[in-house]
Structure formats: C-alpha cells, structure tokens
Amino acid sequence: MANKQFDIKSYPGFKGITLLCLVILYAPLVVVTVYSFNASQSLTNWEGVSLRWYSDVFTGPESGKFKTAAKNSFIIAIIAATTATTIATLAATGMVRGGKFRFRTVSFGLISLPLMVPEIVLAVATLIFFNSIGFERGLLTILLAHIAFCIPFAYLPISARMQGIEDSYEQAALDLYATKRQAFTKILLPLMMPGIISGFLLAFIVSLDDFIITNFVKGAGVETLPTAIFGSVKQGIKPNIMAISTMLLSVSIVMVTISYFVSKSDNTK
Amino acid sequence: MAAGAASGGSATTDTYKEARTWLLLPAWVTLSILVLAPVLMMLIYSFLTKEFRGGVIWEFSLAAYDQFFFDRGLFGDEPPKIEWTYITIFWRSIWQAAAATLLSLAIGFPTAYFIATRSENMRPVWVFLITIPYWVNLLIRTVSMKFLLRDQGPLNDFLMNIGLIDSPLHIVNTNFAVQLGLFYSYLPFMVLPIYAAVERYNFALSEAAADLYASKWTTLRRILLPAVKPGVFAGCILVFVPSMGSFLAPDLLGGAKNFMIGSLIEEQFKGNAGNWPFGAAASMVLLTMVLIILMFSARQQAKADKAGG
C-alpha cells in the first residue's frame, strides 16, 4: 500500500468528530452574529437584514448605560493589562534570567495562583478582603482585582518567549561594555516584544471578559460591559444584546488573531 | 498545567541574578496582597459570626461549617443530623463536572488526535481554530448557547424544518444543557494537553503493533492510550476543576432545579440569604477539594515524568 503510514495513523470517525467539534464551538457564535442583523422585533422570526439593533445600542433607551459600561470596561482593561504586563515582564526576567534560587518554585506557584483558585472563590476572597480593610467598592476595586488575575495570563507567553531567546545576545552586548540595564532595554526587551504584546493582548481580553470577579467587587451602580449584559439577559435575551455581543466577540477574535500572529513572528534572526 | 513548560527551563540563565529580587518584587507584593491575603481573610471569615444583611461580627464561631454539615432542626436545639442540602449541591456539582469532563473527553480526544496527525504546517491552524472561541467572553458564549438551544431557538427550528422532530426538544433548564455549557466553556483545556501528548508520541510503536497483527483499535487502546495517558489526565483535571466551581453555565442554562456550588456561594453575597461566613465556608470547602485534586494530579504527573524519563 502506498500510504500505509497514513493508514496507521487515521481512525474512522475521528475527522467527523473534529468537524462536529468545530460546529459545536462556532454554531452559537455564528447564530448570534446572524440574528444581531435581524430586522424583526421578535427573536424567533427572521425579517431580513438590518442594522437597527446596532443603532439601538448606540442611540436607543439603554445606550447611556451601555456606553458608560463600555467606557469602564475599556479603561479598566487597558490599565489592568498594562500594569499586569509590566509586572509580568519583570517577573519573567527574574525567573528566566535569574539563575537557580530557593524561592523559584514558590514564586511560580504564587504567579499561577490566580489560575488554580476557582474563579468564584477568588471573587469571594477579594470581596471579603476589600470589605475587611474598609476599602469602598467601585472602579478601583475592580481594577485592582483585574491586575491580579491578569498577571499569569501575561506571564505565560512572556516567559515562554524569553526561554526561547538564548542569552548570547545580551552576553554579546555586555562584552561590548553595555550596562546590564542597557542590555535589558536595548537587546532583551526588543527581542521579547512579541511575547510581551501577546501577553498584553491576552491580559486585555481576560480583563475585558471577566464577569464573576467583577460582579462581586463592583460597587452598587458601577457596571462593566459583562455585568451590564448579564443584568439585561436576566430579563430575557433581547436583540440589542446580540448586537453588543457580536461587537464584543469581534474585538476578542481580532485581538487573539493579532496575538497569534505576533507571537509566531520570529525577530531573533 | 503550563508549570512544566515555564519552570523547568533549560534556557534559564543567570544574566540578571543580582537584580532578581527587585524584578520579582512587584509580582510578589501584588499577588500576596491581592490573592494570598484575600484567601487567608476568607478562611478567617468562615470562622466568624454572621451579621444580618451581609458582613460579619468579629466573634469566633463554627456556625458556618455547622450549618453546612449538620441539621439541628428549626430552632437549633435538636440532636445534630447530617444536613444533606449542601452536600447534595456539592455532589451535583461534582457529578455535573464529571459528566462535562466525559463529554469533553469523548469529543476532545478524537479532535486532539486528528489535529496532532495533520501536517506540521496545518497543526497550528487547527489549534488556533479550536482555541478562538475560548477567548470570546464566557458570558456571551453561554448566552449564545442558550439562544441556540431555546425551545423556539434556531436549533429546534432547524430540526423541525428538516422533519427530524415534530415538537421542540426541551434542552434549556436541564442537566444536559448545563453539561453542554460546561463542555463549551472548557473544551480547549481538554484538547490542548492531549494534542501535545499525541504530537510527542512515536508512531513507530503503532506500526510495530500493526506489524504484529494488532487491530487498529487494539493498538489505540493498548499502545497509544497508555503512552498519552498523562495528557488525557491533565485534560480531565483542567476541565473538571473549573467546571465544578462554575457559575454562568448552571445559572443561565440550568434553572433553579440544577443549582450548583457556584450559585450557592453567589447567593450568600448577592441574594437575600446574605450569610457571609457561610459563603466563605462553602468557598473554603470548594477550594480544599480543588487543591486536593491539584496536588493529587501533580503527584500523578511527577510519577508519569519519572516513568517516561
């Protein structure tokens, strides 16, 4: 047989299941996107293509609420992702270029702690913490909580990138009398940039998307997009929610795509 | 998890050895204050006395754990019996998470295997396709799922139009809807570790088995599966753990009859029940279970690493 090799590897049905898997993953997203362009007032009937729900989001009766929520979401995501990326970049340098040291495992455990603690538990703990020190809930508490859980998401791509960079680059700079600081900012940092951008984008999406922790630590009347959407959905799914969802999911998909291509690009050559 | 990739670095060097304390300090401080301290404070709160309408009184009390495990009658003066209400909710969460894990495994394993046997150029593209939906807002994904599965939703419309069913299937507000939602939430966590394991698998072993007249399925069961077991195990843990404490899927897709731990905890801080020490105690029980599972899995992983060399 010509392709015995191929034959051994392939199992009947596996391709079908993979395609089914893709259908399950994408069907809900496609359906919501399509129905967000529905001209009908009702969810069930299709009455042709229209942008009325998009204009409803921006000018309709709930537009004020959604605009404020969107502004809050984006401000928090930008500050939280920037801060978390900075902290993660420094930490990755310490972990990957810091040699062997005693607290290495503990440090890594601490950095990945937000990934191990169930989200609802972290939400409860953060709420209790702010309450116990008398920190009034509001935008600032949301921001602080977001910075914490964004750190591991920024850290993982950055440290992965750094492990792929040989130290000969910065050693060469040091041999040529660069200071350690110069070797870091002029050599290492540019080489790490794909990992840093990728980490930033992931942290940004994770912050933008968070519902559970935000829902616990936000003050009364303070909303981000996910909490505003959740509030609306509790009264029933409306077409304007689908329009917002479609916009938000487009932002996520665009950012992940950028992150994917940036992290794949190799600038060490 | 990604622990192995990031901590056991062969590329670890010591260019910035002197500065490492300063480099790590911001992360240590931020995470100690915003994650470690809150978890410890939650532990303390679970041993305090509840204040009506939320909050606590700073008096030591075992009431929260007592309420969780024991039933002492309406006025608290009867001999304690085991309280089944909350244990049942935990049990249901474990069961639902296990069902979602099995569903993810049934679909995730063939998918991961299929991707790992594509050409080297196509693999990242497939992985990318599988992971994209994970980065879309979980709330939006769950709402979309609900919209798709509703009695008058597009799925039922479609099935009725092609004549497969006469009346709509009731999927929303069932256990199955929750399992489907959890599956949808965490599927990439199942696919990625299995994919990584199969990609490293040496297919010469399968060929050897085939040469010795083993059937394809025997080869899969007796040769491939044992070799990729650590990946399968990691995938199951990564789906099971977040499923158990999830809130959105049970809340939006499950309805009142399919209450899980996440909703029980949320209710203590949002709803009228408002019992903070009890919510903290329930969170501690959940956290303890998760940490036991993670420690157990870390030991299994270490064993597998040793055995695999």
Side-chain angles (χ1 to χ4, degrees), chain A residues 10-54:
Chain A
S10 77
Y11 283 89
F14 277 25
K15 185 177 186 179
I17 294 175
T18 307
L19 296 179
L20 174 73
C21 181
L22 285 184
V23 170
I24 300 176
L25 286 178
Y26 285 91
L29 304 181
V30 170
V31 164
V32 160
T33 306
V34 169
Y35 273 80
S36 72
F37 293 103
N38 191 355
S40 166
Q41 175 81 49
S42 99
L43 283 174
T44 35
N45 303 324
W46 178 260
E47 286 175 15
V49 176
S50 136
L51 287 175
R52 69 179 278 200
W53 299 114
Y54 287 87

mmCIF file of all heavy atoms in Angstrom, chain A residues 10-54:
data_model
loop_
_atom_site.group_PDB
_atom_site.id
_atom_site.type_symbol
_atom_site.label_atom_id
_atom_site.label_comp_id
_atom_site.label_asym_id
_atom_site.label_seq_id
_atom_site.Cartn_x
_atom_site.Cartn_y
_atom_site.Cartn_z
ATOM 1 N N SER A 10 -4.673 7.020 10.919
ATOM 2 C CA SER A 10 -6.028 7.568 10.854
ATOM 3 C C SER A 10 -7.054 6.582 11.386
ATOM 4 O O SER A 10 -6.951 5.380 11.160
ATOM 5 C CB SER A 10 -6.363 7.958 9.414
ATOM 6 O OG SER A 10 -6.655 6.809 8.674
ATOM 7 N N TYR A 11 -8.014 7.093 12.114
ATOM 8 C CA TYR A 11 -9.099 6.287 12.639
ATOM 9 C C TYR A 11 -10.414 6.765 12.057
ATOM 10 O O TYR A 11 -10.655 7.982 12.008
ATOM 11 C CB TYR A 11 -9.140 6.374 14.167
ATOM 12 C CG TYR A 11 -8.073 5.536 14.805
ATOM 13 C CD1 TYR A 11 -6.815 6.071 15.047
ATOM 14 C CD2 TYR A 11 -8.320 4.219 15.149
ATOM 15 C CE1 TYR A 11 -5.815 5.295 15.627
ATOM 16 C CE2 TYR A 11 -7.333 3.439 15.725
ATOM 17 C CZ TYR A 11 -6.088 3.976 15.969
ATOM 18 O OH TYR A 11 -5.118 3.211 16.525
ATOM 19 N N PRO A 12 -11.269 5.844 11.619
ATOM 20 C CA PRO A 12 -12.543 6.263 11.026
ATOM 21 C C PRO A 12 -13.379 7.003 12.067
ATOM 22 O O PRO A 12 -13.446 6.593 13.223
ATOM 23 C CB PRO A 12 -13.203 4.943 10.619
ATOM 24 C CG PRO A 12 -12.516 3.898 11.429
ATOM 25 C CD PRO A 12 -11.119 4.387 11.640
ATOM 26 N N GLY A 13 -13.987 8.093 11.652
ATOM 27 C CA GLY A 13 -14.856 8.833 12.560
ATOM 28 C C GLY A 13 -14.178 9.986 13.259
ATOM 29 O O GLY A 13 -14.835 10.925 13.697
ATOM 30 N N PHE A 14 -12.840 9.935 13.385
ATOM 31 C CA PHE A 14 -12.157 10.993 14.116
ATOM 32 C C PHE A 14 -12.294 12.341 13.401
ATOM 33 O O PHE A 14 -12.457 13.375 14.027
ATOM 34 C CB PHE A 14 -10.675 10.648 14.311
ATOM 35 C CG PHE A 14 -10.447 9.754 15.488
ATOM 36 C CD1 PHE A 14 -11.455 8.927 15.962
ATOM 37 C CD2 PHE A 14 -9.213 9.744 16.149
ATOM 38 C CE1 PHE A 14 -11.254 8.098 17.054
ATOM 39 C CE2 PHE A 14 -9.012 8.924 17.253
ATOM 40 C CZ PHE A 14 -10.019 8.098 17.703
ATOM 41 N N LYS A 15 -12.223 12.304 12.066
ATOM 42 C CA LYS A 15 -12.358 13.537 11.311
ATOM 43 C C LYS A 15 -13.773 14.102 11.486
ATOM 44 O O LYS A 15 -13.964 15.291 11.693
ATOM 45 C CB LYS A 15 -12.074 13.287 9.835
ATOM 46 C CG LYS A 15 -12.074 14.553 9.016
ATOM 47 C CD LYS A 15 -11.708 14.272 7.571
ATOM 48 C CE LYS A 15 -11.565 15.585 6.815
ATOM 49 N NZ LYS A 15 -11.185 15.354 5.427
ATOM 50 N N GLY A 16 -14.760 13.192 11.438
ATOM 51 C CA GLY A 16 -16.143 13.614 11.630
ATOM 52 C C GLY A 16 -16.346 14.270 12.980
ATOM 53 O O GLY A 16 -16.997 15.316 13.086
ATOM 54 N N ILE A 17 -15.775 13.660 14.028
ATOM 55 C CA ILE A 17 -15.931 14.228 15.373
ATOM 56 C C ILE A 17 -15.258 15.593 15.460
ATOM 57 O O ILE A 17 -15.781 16.521 16.071
ATOM 58 C CB ILE A 17 -15.371 13.252 16.432
ATOM 59 C CG1 ILE A 17 -16.223 11.992 16.464
ATOM 60 C CG2 ILE A 17 -15.330 13.912 17.807
ATOM 61 C CD1 ILE A 17 -15.722 10.904 17.380
ATOM 62 N N THR A 18 -14.084 15.725 14.802
ATOM 63 C CA THR A 18 -13.398 17.012 14.814
ATOM 64 C C THR A 18 -14.267 18.089 14.165
ATOM 65 O O THR A 18 -14.382 19.203 14.692
ATOM 66 C CB THR A 18 -12.058 16.909 14.061
ATOM 67 O OG1 THR A 18 -11.315 15.827 14.602
ATOM 68 C CG2 THR A 18 -11.269 18.200 14.185
ATOM 69 N N LEU A 19 -14.880 17.730 13.042
ATOM 70 C CA LEU A 19 -15.739 18.710 12.362
ATOM 71 C C LEU A 19 -16.967 19.034 13.226
ATOM 72 O O LEU A 19 -17.352 20.199 13.358
ATOM 73 C CB LEU A 19 -16.158 18.184 10.981
ATOM 74 C CG LEU A 19 -14.986 17.992 10.008
ATOM 75 C CD1 LEU A 19 -15.469 17.445 8.679
ATOM 76 C CD2 LEU A 19 -14.229 19.318 9.798
ATOM 77 N N LEU A 20 -17.524 17.991 13.860
ATOM 78 C CA LEU A 20 -18.649 18.213 14.780
ATOM 79 C C LEU A 20 -18.227 19.158 15.905
ATOM 80 O O LEU A 20 -18.963 20.080 16.294
ATOM 81 C CB LEU A 20 -19.106 16.872 15.368
ATOM 82 C CG LEU A 20 -20.172 16.951 16.457
ATOM 83 C CD1 LEU A 20 -21.512 17.302 15.843
ATOM 84 C CD2 LEU A 20 -20.277 15.649 17.245
ATOM 85 N N CYS A 21 -17.023 18.953 16.398
ATOM 86 C CA CYS A 21 -16.475 19.783 17.466
ATOM 87 C C CYS A 21 -16.436 21.247 17.025
ATOM 88 O O CYS A 21 -16.867 22.145 17.757
ATOM 89 C CB CYS A 21 -15.081 19.272 17.792
ATOM 90 S SG CYS A 21 -14.257 20.143 19.094
ATOM 91 N N LEU A 22 -15.948 21.486 15.804
ATOM 92 C CA LEU A 22 -15.893 22.857 15.295
ATOM 93 C C LEU A 22 -17.301 23.441 15.159
ATOM 94 O O LEU A 22 -17.528 24.611 15.483
ATOM 95 C CB LEU A 22 -15.184 22.905 13.941
ATOM 96 C CG LEU A 22 -13.668 22.751 13.977
ATOM 97 C CD1 LEU A 22 -13.099 22.906 12.580
ATOM 98 C CD2 LEU A 22 -13.040 23.773 14.913
ATOM 99 N N VAL A 23 -18.240 22.610 14.686
ATOM 100 C CA VAL A 23 -19.619 23.094 14.537
ATOM 101 C C VAL A 23 -20.181 23.510 15.904
ATOM 102 O O VAL A 23 -20.750 24.588 16.053
ATOM 103 C CB VAL A 23 -20.520 22.008 13.891
ATOM 104 C CG1 VAL A 23 -21.982 22.410 13.973
ATOM 105 C CG2 VAL A 23 -20.114 21.782 12.449
ATOM 106 N N ILE A 24 -19.982 22.638 16.920
ATOM 107 C CA ILE A 24 -20.497 22.976 18.252
ATOM 108 C C ILE A 24 -19.858 24.263 18.766
ATOM 109 O O ILE A 24 -20.509 25.111 19.355
ATOM 110 C CB ILE A 24 -20.228 21.828 19.253
ATOM 111 C CG1 ILE A 24 -20.915 20.552 18.794
ATOM 112 C CG2 ILE A 24 -20.694 22.213 20.657
ATOM 113 C CD1 ILE A 24 -20.627 19.353 19.676
ATOM 114 N N LEU A 25 -18.548 24.416 18.515
ATOM 115 C CA LEU A 25 -17.843 25.591 19.023
ATOM 116 C C LEU A 25 -18.314 26.879 18.343
ATOM 117 O O LEU A 25 -18.429 27.923 18.980
ATOM 118 C CB LEU A 25 -16.336 25.444 18.827
ATOM 119 C CG LEU A 25 -15.611 24.476 19.763
ATOM 120 C CD1 LEU A 25 -14.132 24.410 19.408
ATOM 121 C CD2 LEU A 25 -15.758 24.920 21.207
ATOM 122 N N TYR A 26 -18.568 26.788 17.044
ATOM 123 C CA TYR A 26 -18.843 28.029 16.313
ATOM 124 C C TYR A 26 -20.328 28.308 16.101
ATOM 125 O O TYR A 26 -20.702 29.466 15.918
ATOM 126 C CB TYR A 26 -18.099 28.025 14.973
ATOM 127 C CG TYR A 26 -16.629 28.283 15.150
ATOM 128 C CD1 TYR A 26 -15.726 27.240 15.317
ATOM 129 C CD2 TYR A 26 -16.151 29.583 15.215
ATOM 130 C CE1 TYR A 26 -14.377 27.481 15.519
ATOM 131 C CE2 TYR A 26 -14.802 29.837 15.410
ATOM 132 C CZ TYR A 26 -13.926 28.775 15.564
ATOM 133 O OH TYR A 26 -12.595 29.029 15.766
ATOM 134 N N ALA A 27 -21.166 27.258 16.128
ATOM 135 C CA ALA A 27 -22.584 27.477 15.834
ATOM 136 C C ALA A 27 -23.217 28.573 16.704
ATOM 137 O O ALA A 27 -23.863 29.484 16.168
ATOM 138 C CB ALA A 27 -23.352 26.162 15.971
ATOM 139 N N PRO A 28 -23.038 28.531 18.036
ATOM 140 C CA PRO A 28 -23.688 29.574 18.834
ATOM 141 C C PRO A 28 -23.219 30.976 18.447
ATOM 142 O O PRO A 28 -24.028 31.913 18.375
ATOM 143 C CB PRO A 28 -23.262 29.243 20.268
ATOM 144 C CG PRO A 28 -22.913 27.809 20.246
ATOM 145 C CD PRO A 28 -22.345 27.554 18.894
ATOM 146 N N LEU A 29 -21.917 31.109 18.172
ATOM 147 C CA LEU A 29 -21.382 32.434 17.834
ATOM 148 C C LEU A 29 -21.927 32.911 16.494
ATOM 149 O O LEU A 29 -22.314 34.077 16.339
ATOM 150 C CB LEU A 29 -19.852 32.393 17.783
ATOM 151 C CG LEU A 29 -19.156 31.881 19.046
ATOM 152 C CD1 LEU A 29 -17.651 31.920 18.883
ATOM 153 C CD2 LEU A 29 -19.567 32.713 20.253
ATOM 154 N N VAL A 30 -21.973 31.997 15.525
ATOM 155 C CA VAL A 30 -22.477 32.360 14.199
ATOM 156 C C VAL A 30 -23.955 32.750 14.294
ATOM 157 O O VAL A 30 -24.379 33.766 13.741
ATOM 158 C CB VAL A 30 -22.286 31.187 13.205
ATOM 159 C CG1 VAL A 30 -23.009 31.463 11.902
ATOM 160 C CG2 VAL A 30 -20.807 30.939 12.956
ATOM 161 N N VAL A 31 -24.725 31.949 15.027
ATOM 162 C CA VAL A 31 -26.155 32.217 15.141
ATOM 163 C C VAL A 31 -26.404 33.592 15.758
ATOM 164 O O VAL A 31 -27.222 34.374 15.260
ATOM 165 C CB VAL A 31 -26.831 31.098 15.976
ATOM 166 C CG1 VAL A 31 -28.206 31.537 16.438
ATOM 167 C CG2 VAL A 31 -26.935 29.831 15.151
ATOM 168 N N VAL A 32 -25.677 33.901 16.836
ATOM 169 C CA VAL A 32 -25.886 35.200 17.478
ATOM 170 C C VAL A 32 -25.496 36.336 16.532
ATOM 171 O O VAL A 32 -26.182 37.350 16.445
ATOM 172 C CB VAL A 32 -25.100 35.274 18.807
ATOM 173 C CG1 VAL A 32 -24.904 36.708 19.239
ATOM 174 C CG2 VAL A 32 -25.851 34.504 19.873
ATOM 175 N N THR A 33 -24.385 36.144 15.808
ATOM 176 C CA THR A 33 -23.959 37.182 14.873
ATOM 177 C C THR A 33 -25.022 37.394 13.797
ATOM 178 O O THR A 33 -25.410 38.534 13.505
ATOM 179 C CB THR A 33 -22.623 36.776 14.207
ATOM 180 O OG1 THR A 33 -21.692 36.473 15.229
ATOM 181 C CG2 THR A 33 -22.092 37.885 13.340
ATOM 182 N N VAL A 34 -25.533 36.303 13.228
ATOM 183 C CA VAL A 34 -26.544 36.422 12.188
ATOM 184 C C VAL A 34 -27.792 37.116 12.736
ATOM 185 O O VAL A 34 -28.309 38.070 12.147
ATOM 186 C CB VAL A 34 -26.899 35.027 11.622
ATOM 187 C CG1 VAL A 34 -28.129 35.111 10.734
ATOM 188 C CG2 VAL A 34 -25.726 34.455 10.850
ATOM 189 N N TYR A 35 -28.280 36.661 13.897
ATOM 190 C CA TYR A 35 -29.515 37.224 14.433
ATOM 191 C C TYR A 35 -29.365 38.659 14.923
ATOM 192 O O TYR A 35 -30.351 39.361 15.101
ATOM 193 C CB TYR A 35 -30.082 36.320 15.533
ATOM 194 C CG TYR A 35 -30.971 35.231 14.983
ATOM 195 C CD1 TYR A 35 -30.422 34.076 14.436
ATOM 196 C CD2 TYR A 35 -32.352 35.373 14.972
ATOM 197 C CE1 TYR A 35 -31.215 33.091 13.900
ATOM 198 C CE2 TYR A 35 -33.164 34.384 14.430
ATOM 199 C CZ TYR A 35 -32.590 33.243 13.898
ATOM 200 O OH TYR A 35 -33.394 32.274 13.368
ATOM 201 N N SER A 36 -28.113 39.102 15.142
ATOM 202 C CA SER A 36 -27.940 40.500 15.537
ATOM 203 C C SER A 36 -28.289 41.430 14.378
ATOM 204 O O SER A 36 -28.543 42.612 14.577
ATOM 205 C CB SER A 36 -26.505 40.750 16.000
ATOM 206 O OG SER A 36 -25.616 40.726 14.910
ATOM 207 N N PHE A 37 -28.325 40.887 13.158
ATOM 208 C CA PHE A 37 -28.693 41.700 11.992
ATOM 209 C C PHE A 37 -30.165 41.516 11.608
ATOM 210 O O PHE A 37 -30.598 41.960 10.554
ATOM 211 C CB PHE A 37 -27.813 41.330 10.788
ATOM 212 C CG PHE A 37 -26.375 41.700 10.970
ATOM 213 C CD1 PHE A 37 -25.424 40.740 11.277
ATOM 214 C CD2 PHE A 37 -25.966 43.023 10.861
ATOM 215 C CE1 PHE A 37 -24.095 41.085 11.468
ATOM 216 C CE2 PHE A 37 -24.642 43.382 11.042
ATOM 217 C CZ PHE A 37 -23.699 42.407 11.346
ATOM 218 N N ASN A 38 -30.906 40.845 12.470
ATOM 219 C CA ASN A 38 -32.317 40.599 12.184
ATOM 220 C C ASN A 38 -33.123 41.894 12.299
ATOM 221 O O ASN A 38 -32.970 42.651 13.244
ATOM 222 C CB ASN A 38 -32.851 39.566 13.187
ATOM 223 C CG ASN A 38 -34.223 39.047 12.808
ATOM 224 O OD1 ASN A 38 -34.821 39.522 11.851
ATOM 225 N ND2 ASN A 38 -34.704 38.076 13.561
ATOM 226 N N ALA A 39 -33.998 42.135 11.305
ATOM 227 C CA ALA A 39 -34.797 43.361 11.338
ATOM 228 C C ALA A 39 -35.979 43.238 12.285
ATOM 229 O O ALA A 39 -36.583 44.226 12.679
ATOM 230 C CB ALA A 39 -35.292 43.690 9.932
ATOM 231 N N SER A 40 -36.298 42.001 12.671
ATOM 232 C CA SER A 40 -37.520 41.790 13.450
ATOM 233 C C SER A 40 -37.351 42.194 14.916
ATOM 234 O O SER A 40 -36.271 42.129 15.491
ATOM 235 C CB SER A 40 -37.913 40.312 13.376
ATOM 236 O OG SER A 40 -38.879 40.033 14.343
ATOM 237 N N GLN A 41 -38.482 42.606 15.506
ATOM 238 C CA GLN A 41 -38.517 42.924 16.920
ATOM 239 C C GLN A 41 -38.426 41.636 17.744
ATOM 240 O O GLN A 41 -37.840 41.604 18.816
ATOM 241 C CB GLN A 41 -39.843 43.648 17.227
ATOM 242 C CG GLN A 41 -40.088 43.959 18.693
ATOM 243 C CD GLN A 41 -39.359 45.203 19.118
ATOM 244 O OE1 GLN A 41 -39.434 46.241 18.470
ATOM 245 N NE2 GLN A 41 -38.615 45.110 20.209
ATOM 246 N N SER A 42 -39.031 40.568 17.193
ATOM 247 C CA SER A 42 -39.057 39.310 17.939
ATOM 248 C C SER A 42 -37.800 38.507 17.637
ATOM 249 O O SER A 42 -37.154 38.685 16.612
ATOM 250 C CB SER A 42 -40.295 38.492 17.587
ATOM 251 O OG SER A 42 -39.964 37.492 16.649
ATOM 252 N N LEU A 43 -37.464 37.613 18.568
ATOM 253 C CA LEU A 43 -36.249 36.834 18.397
ATOM 254 C C LEU A 43 -36.430 35.685 17.428
ATOM 255 O O LEU A 43 -35.477 35.188 16.855
ATOM 256 C CB LEU A 43 -35.822 36.255 19.748
ATOM 257 C CG LEU A 43 -35.140 37.193 20.718
ATOM 258 C CD1 LEU A 43 -34.940 36.496 22.036
ATOM 259 C CD2 LEU A 43 -33.822 37.661 20.155
ATOM 260 N N THR A 44 -37.682 35.240 17.282
ATOM 261 C CA THR A 44 -37.894 33.985 16.564
ATOM 262 C C THR A 44 -38.020 34.158 15.064
ATOM 263 O O THR A 44 -37.639 33.291 14.306
ATOM 264 C CB THR A 44 -39.145 33.263 17.099
ATOM 265 O OG1 THR A 44 -40.106 34.244 17.470
ATOM 266 C CG2 THR A 44 -38.790 32.414 18.281
ATOM 267 N N ASN A 45 -38.599 35.285 14.610
ATOM 268 C CA ASN A 45 -38.824 35.442 13.175
ATOM 269 C C ASN A 45 -37.663 36.162 12.512
ATOM 270 O O ASN A 45 -37.090 37.095 13.077
ATOM 271 C CB ASN A 45 -40.104 36.245 12.919
ATOM 272 C CG ASN A 45 -41.288 35.592 13.585
ATOM 273 O OD1 ASN A 45 -41.377 34.365 13.634
ATOM 274 N ND2 ASN A 45 -42.165 36.409 14.154
ATOM 275 N N TRP A 46 -37.377 35.724 11.329
ATOM 276 C CA TRP A 46 -36.342 36.399 10.543
ATOM 277 C C TRP A 46 -37.030 37.307 9.544
ATOM 278 O O TRP A 46 -37.847 36.861 8.745
ATOM 279 C CB TRP A 46 -35.471 35.370 9.825
ATOM 280 C CG TRP A 46 -34.435 36.021 8.972
ATOM 281 C CD1 TRP A 46 -34.486 36.202 7.634
ATOM 282 C CD2 TRP A 46 -33.218 36.607 9.417
ATOM 283 N NE1 TRP A 46 -33.379 36.871 7.203
ATOM 284 C CE2 TRP A 46 -32.577 37.137 8.280
ATOM 285 C CE3 TRP A 46 -32.608 36.759 10.669
ATOM 286 C CZ2 TRP A 46 -31.354 37.786 8.349
ATOM 287 C CZ3 TRP A 46 -31.395 37.394 10.732
ATOM 288 C CH2 TRP A 46 -30.776 37.912 9.588
ATOM 289 N N GLU A 47 -36.748 38.610 9.602
ATOM 290 C CA GLU A 47 -37.437 39.534 8.702
ATOM 291 C C GLU A 47 -36.474 40.350 7.868
ATOM 292 O O GLU A 47 -36.718 41.508 7.576
ATOM 293 C CB GLU A 47 -38.355 40.474 9.508
ATOM 294 C CG GLU A 47 -39.596 39.761 10.018
ATOM 295 C CD GLU A 47 -40.438 40.664 10.905
ATOM 296 O OE1 GLU A 47 -40.203 41.890 10.891
ATOM 297 O OE2 GLU A 47 -41.302 40.132 11.614
ATOM 298 N N GLY A 48 -35.344 39.769 7.539
ATOM 299 C CA GLY A 48 -34.414 40.476 6.668
ATOM 300 C C GLY A 48 -33.298 41.170 7.433
ATOM 301 O O GLY A 48 -33.357 41.331 8.651
ATOM 302 N N VAL A 49 -32.305 41.597 6.661
ATOM 303 C CA VAL A 49 -31.106 42.176 7.249
ATOM 304 C C VAL A 49 -31.324 43.643 7.613
ATOM 305 O O VAL A 49 -31.939 44.387 6.859
ATOM 306 C CB VAL A 49 -29.928 42.058 6.256
ATOM 307 C CG1 VAL A 49 -28.693 42.731 6.811
ATOM 308 C CG2 VAL A 49 -29.661 40.603 5.925
ATOM 309 N N SER A 50 -30.841 44.031 8.774
ATOM 310 C CA SER A 50 -30.972 45.415 9.186
ATOM 311 C C SER A 50 -29.920 45.726 10.242
ATOM 312 O O SER A 50 -29.395 44.833 10.902
ATOM 313 C CB SER A 50 -32.372 45.655 9.744
ATOM 314 O OG SER A 50 -32.315 46.402 10.914
ATOM 315 N N LEU A 51 -29.607 47.005 10.361
ATOM 316 C CA LEU A 51 -28.645 47.405 11.388
ATOM 317 C C LEU A 51 -29.360 48.054 12.575
ATOM 318 O O LEU A 51 -28.734 48.683 13.411
ATOM 319 C CB LEU A 51 -27.627 48.383 10.796
ATOM 320 C CG LEU A 51 -26.585 47.781 9.852
ATOM 321 C CD1 LEU A 51 -25.731 48.888 9.247
ATOM 322 C CD2 LEU A 51 -25.713 46.779 10.577
ATOM 323 N N ARG A 52 -30.688 47.857 12.658
ATOM 324 C CA ARG A 52 -31.438 48.628 13.656
ATOM 325 C C ARG A 52 -30.976 48.347 15.086
ATOM 326 O O ARG A 52 -30.971 49.240 15.929
ATOM 327 C CB ARG A 52 -32.943 48.369 13.521
ATOM 328 C CG ARG A 52 -33.374 46.966 13.911
ATOM 329 C CD ARG A 52 -34.871 46.801 13.764
ATOM 330 N NE ARG A 52 -35.605 47.318 14.917
ATOM 331 C CZ ARG A 52 -36.842 46.946 15.200
ATOM 332 N NH1 ARG A 52 -37.475 46.087 14.411
ATOM 333 N NH2 ARG A 52 -37.465 47.432 16.255
ATOM 334 N N TRP A 53 -30.551 47.099 15.382
ATOM 335 C CA TRP A 53 -30.150 46.790 16.770
ATOM 336 C C TRP A 53 -28.807 47.387 17.093
ATOM 337 O O TRP A 53 -28.516 47.685 18.254
ATOM 338 C CB TRP A 53 -30.199 45.286 17.017
ATOM 339 C CG TRP A 53 -31.603 44.798 16.820
ATOM 340 C CD1 TRP A 53 -32.056 43.956 15.854
ATOM 341 C CD2 TRP A 53 -32.754 45.206 17.571
ATOM 342 N NE1 TRP A 53 -33.407 43.806 15.959
ATOM 343 C CE2 TRP A 53 -33.862 44.556 17.003
ATOM 344 C CE3 TRP A 53 -32.950 46.057 18.668
ATOM 345 C CZ2 TRP A 53 -35.154 44.721 17.493
ATOM 346 C CZ3 TRP A 53 -34.230 46.226 19.157
ATOM 347 C CH2 TRP A 53 -35.317 45.564 18.570
ATOM 348 N N TYR A 54 -27.983 47.580 16.041
ATOM 349 C CA TYR A 54 -26.707 48.258 16.279
ATOM 350 C C TYR A 54 -26.952 49.722 16.577
ATOM 351 O O TYR A 54 -26.323 50.311 17.463
ATOM 352 C CB TYR A 54 -25.771 48.071 15.079
ATOM 353 C CG TYR A 54 -25.235 46.659 15.013
ATOM 354 C CD1 TYR A 54 -25.944 45.659 14.351
ATOM 355 C CD2 TYR A 54 -24.053 46.324 15.654
ATOM 356 C CE1 TYR A 54 -25.475 44.357 14.321
ATOM 357 C CE2 TYR A 54 -23.575 45.029 15.628
ATOM 358 C CZ TYR A 54 -24.291 44.050 14.956
ATOM 359 O OH TYR A 54 -23.830 42.770 14.947
#
